[in-house]
Structures are given as C-alpha cells and as structure tokens.
C-alpha cells in the first residue's frame, strides 16, 4: 500500500507533494494524517474525498484512512471533519481546508 501524507495544523490541510501522484483506478492508496493538538480529543474522524463533482466520506480512527478508488480525474481534494450531533444540530463541528493531490488517469479512465 502506498501511503501519502497530509499535515493538518490550524485547520489547514497540506499535502506533502513528495508523496507523488495518485494513479486512478487503484485501491492501494492510504492517507496518513499528522494532526495538531486541536484533534487530540477526537479518536474518530471523517475524511472527505472530493473529485469529479462528487464526494465520498470515510470514517476512520487513528491517523490513517484508505483512499477510495478514483476514476477519470486529475485532481483530488481531501479534508477532515469531526461532527458531534446534538438533538437537531451539531454540538461540535471541526473542519479543515482541503489538501490538493494531483492524479493521473489510468488506462480504465
């Protein structure tokens, strides 16, 4: 599995581009997040992956989240949020900006 790295500090998500690009159509990518202390209280988080006008949310614990299989895109946006629901609205909502990861289209695109 290829692991890409995103740093989250002061609600800003930044991709470490030395990790390279994602080749669409593959299921062997993961993101390892490095969170600042603001996120210490939250074991479970949700990563949002945005590409091609749609998004996929993946809940994860710890710091590593698998990347969904991407198709037909040259760019992926990734951000993280924590939402604790109250009776009718979020009690607590913490979000990040999106980090941008370049992608290459595969033969299946």
């Amino acid at each position: 599995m290829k692991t890409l790295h995103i740093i989250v500090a002061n609600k800003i998500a930044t991709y470490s581009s030395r990790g390279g690009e994602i080749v669409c159509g593959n299921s062997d990518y993961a993101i390892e997040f490095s969170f600042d202390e603001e996120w210490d209280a939250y074991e479970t988080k949700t990563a949002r992956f945005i590409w091609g006008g749609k998004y996929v949310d993946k809940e994860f614990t710890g710091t590593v989240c698998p990347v969904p299989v991407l198709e037909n895109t040259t760019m992926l946006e990734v951000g993280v949020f924590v939402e604790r629901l109250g009776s009718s609205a979020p009690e607590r909502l913490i979000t990040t900006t999106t980090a941008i990861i370049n992608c290459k289209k595969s033969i299946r695109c």
Side-chain angles (χ1 to χ4, degrees):
M1 178 149 315
K2 179 163 173 102
T3 304
L4 307 172
H5 300 276
I6 292 179
I7 298 167
V8 176
N10 298 316
K11 297 181 177 44
I12 307 294
T14 306
Y15 174 60
S16 174
S17 60
R18 70 174 192 258
E21 299 168 313
I22 292 176
V23 177
C24 293
N26 290 286
S27 62
D28 60 346
Y29 289 97
I31 303 281
E32 182 172 16
F33 294 94
S34 175
F35 293 100
D36 65 9
E37 63 280 346
E38 178 179 18
W39 298 83
D40 288 349
Y42 307 102
E43 180 63 21
T44 302
K45 303 162 193 75
T46 303
R48 177 164 284 181
F49 298 90
I50 305 168
W51 77 97
K54 64 180 181 176
Y55 69 88
V56 171
D57 288 343
K58 289 204 172 236
E59 192 172 271
F60 67 102
T61 58
T63 60
V64 178
C65 182
V67 175
V69 175
L70 306 176
E71 295 197 15
N72 203 28
T73 191
T74 58
M75 183 183 73
L76 172 67
E77 297 178 72
V78 182
V80 179
F81 65 92
V82 172
E83 183 175 32
R84 296 244 172 115
L85 297 176
S87 58
S88 63
E91 286 180 6
R92 185 89 166 124
L93 180 61
I94 299 174
T95 67
T96 69
T97 61
T98 57
I100 306 297
I101 301 174
N102 289 325
C103 302
K104 296 271 189 188
K105 292 182 180 181
S106 75
I107 192 69
R108 295 185 62 200
C109 291

